[in-house]
Amino acid sequence: MANIKSAKKRIRVTLKQTLRNKAIRSKTKTAMRRVLEAVSAGNATVAKTALVHASKTIDKAASKGVYHKKNAARKKSKLAKIVNKIPA
């Protein structure tokens, strides 16, 4: 256990950030899963609306530093590719 005041604060701050990042990551994964479920069901309209929501969630996560911006772009691109393959 840390003895120095600043080290104790860093532990508290890190714990808080970890919880926030976990929550954001979880929301992002859920949004991505909803897109994939809609695609597997073959529902193009639901998949497209879910894609918009997922893209927004991924962008927010990237802006908060949870994901690197290129990682976020890769995730969005992968989902868009999958959604665009659905026969309309």
Side-chain angles (χ1 to χ4, degrees):
M1 185 64 201
N3 291 325
I4 299 166
K5 188 177 181 182
S6 61
K8 289 178 183 176
K9 182 179 178 183
R10 288 309 317 159
I11 291 169
R12 286 195 313 268
V13 169
T14 303
L15 180 65
K16 199 175 188 181
Q17 287 172 340
T18 303
L19 292 173
R20 187 200 70 174
N21 290 347
K22 227 180 243 189
I24 292 170
R25 221 177 258 124
S26 177
K27 275 185 187 174
T28 305
K29 285 180 184 177
T30 302
M32 290 171 64
R33 183 176 43 81
R34 288 203 177 115
V35 173
L36 297 175
E37 285 173 354
V39 168
S40 65
N43 198 337
T45 55
V46 174
K48 285 181 181 177
T49 56
L51 176 65
V52 170
H53 178 63
S55 295
K56 194 174 181 180
T57 310
I58 292 168
D59 282 337
K60 279 185 181 178
S63 73
K64 293 182 188 311
V66 177
Y67 292 120
H68 189 273
K69 68 178 186 176
K70 289 190 178 182
N71 187 353
R74 191 169 56 245
K75 286 179 188 301
K76 286 172 27 181
S77 173
K78 180 182 165 187
L79 288 175
K81 232 183 221 184
I82 293 168
V83 170
N84 288 334
K85 281 186 180 176
I86 301 174

